[in-house]
Amino acid sequence: MKQFNLLMRIELESWRESWVWSVVMISFLPIITLSFLSFIIPSNSVTDVYAQNLVSGAMVFPIILMGINTYAINISLSRAKGEFKYYANLPIRKVIFLFTKLLSGFLMTLPSVFITSFYGQWLFKVKLSFNILAILILFLGIATCVSLGVLIGFLSKNHEVTNIVSQAFMMFISFLSPVMISQNQLPFPLKVVSWFLPTTYIADAFKRV
């Protein structure tokens, strides 16, 4: 617990001055996407079920943005600065270090998920019901995407490569996987690829709960 408290204080301190802008930027993409869809989809063709699927799919966007893009870049910068060599010399267990990263990602993503949810419900005039499973799925989804972001950050050759890879991967799984559309709407090659993407199952789980 001492190690966890110390690492969590360091993690939260690193977000202290930028968390507002992070929430704004992470909320921006799903809000713009939902707004654009409301412009091009005739209002008389949007059923409640379809609107609920759109909104719940958009709620996965902040998870993707924070987990894969933001954390990949943060990890890459920390590695370039040699911060992990510093942590490696401290008596800190790796599992606690990773858990604080996941918990920090969860806390930073939660506001954007709710902002997206409230905006989507207001925009499409629908009502979503929430239960405890939604919070569990949110935590597991963030854990999965943060893990991918950490992996990209550690395996990339340098910060520039991390930025390009994370941006490309983020855009691919956001718009070419079954996040806001059903798997049946995808061409067969993309359908096969989607079987191996965690966001496919995160979005499906959100829609079910």
Side-chain angles (χ1 to χ4, degrees), residues 103-142:
L103 186 57
S104 170
F106 175 79
L107 294 175
M108 287 300 301
T109 309
L110 198 59
S112 297
V113 172
F114 281 111
I115 290 171
T116 303
S117 168
F118 295 143
Y119 179 76
Q121 291 180 80
W122 169 80
L123 185 65
F124 289 102
K125 305 297 187 295
V126 293
K127 180 68 176 177
L128 297 181
S129 59
F130 292 94
N131 55 51
I132 193 65
L133 284 177
I135 300 297
L136 177 61
I137 291 167
L138 177 62
F139 183 79
L140 292 175
I142 292 171

Side-chain angles (χ1 to χ4, degrees), residues 138-156:
L138 177 62
F139 183 79
L140 292 175
I142 292 171
T144 303
C145 289
V146 167
S147 299
L148 286 174
V150 170
L151 186 67
I152 293 171
F154 273 117
L155 295 183
S156 298

